[in-house]
Amino acid sequence: MTLKVTEGERGDWAVLRVSGEMDLVTSPAVRQHVHDAVAEGRRSLVLDLEEVRFCDSSGVGVLIAARRLMRSCQGRLRLILPAQGAVDGSHVNRVLGALGVRRLFEVFPDLDSATDERANPLSA
């Protein structure tokens, strides 16, 4: 399976919908989309990872780098992962949890809550 990144917007938020596999070969594409969004002046970014079926350490590295980049420019990064995590097959949620880095991210179950300023993130 390959990786597909679709760009969109929701209010002030830039939205990157990622589907497929985030691995050593494909993860640089996600990194480039994040950098492009920042270069365009976007400071609020949602990464929709609901359709990511595989994520290795390269993919996790890209997510951590994206977090670091957004923080360095006083931006915000939110991830969309299914609310049930491992129960409903969210591979990314399981990987982030297993590595102990899930708590670093603001995670939401869907786009509506991820772009709602009043919504609270899911607990780690």
Side-chain angles (χ1 to χ4, degrees), residues 18-30:
V18 183
S19 60
E21 299 179 355
M22 288 179 59
D23 58 24
L24 181 63
V25 174
T26 61
S27 292
V30 177

Side-chain angles (χ1 to χ4, degrees), residues 21-76:
E21 299 179 355
M22 288 179 59
D23 58 24
L24 181 63
V25 174
T26 61
S27 292
V30 177
R31 181 186 313 261
Q32 188 60 54
H33 280 277
V34 171
H35 281 269
D36 290 348
V38 170
E40 293 169 3
R42 304 309 298 254
R43 296 298 179 261
S44 299
L45 178 65
V46 173
L47 288 176
D48 183 346
L49 306 174
E50 189 170 5
E51 296 296 321
V52 173
R53 298 297 171 228
F54 176 80
C55 181
D56 68 7
S57 60
S58 302
V60 173
V62 166
L63 297 177
I64 291 172
R67 178 183 180 269
R68 190 176 318 125
L69 175 62
M70 295 309 293
R71 289 173 61 109
S72 74
C73 64
Q74 288 75 47
R76 303 178 293 173

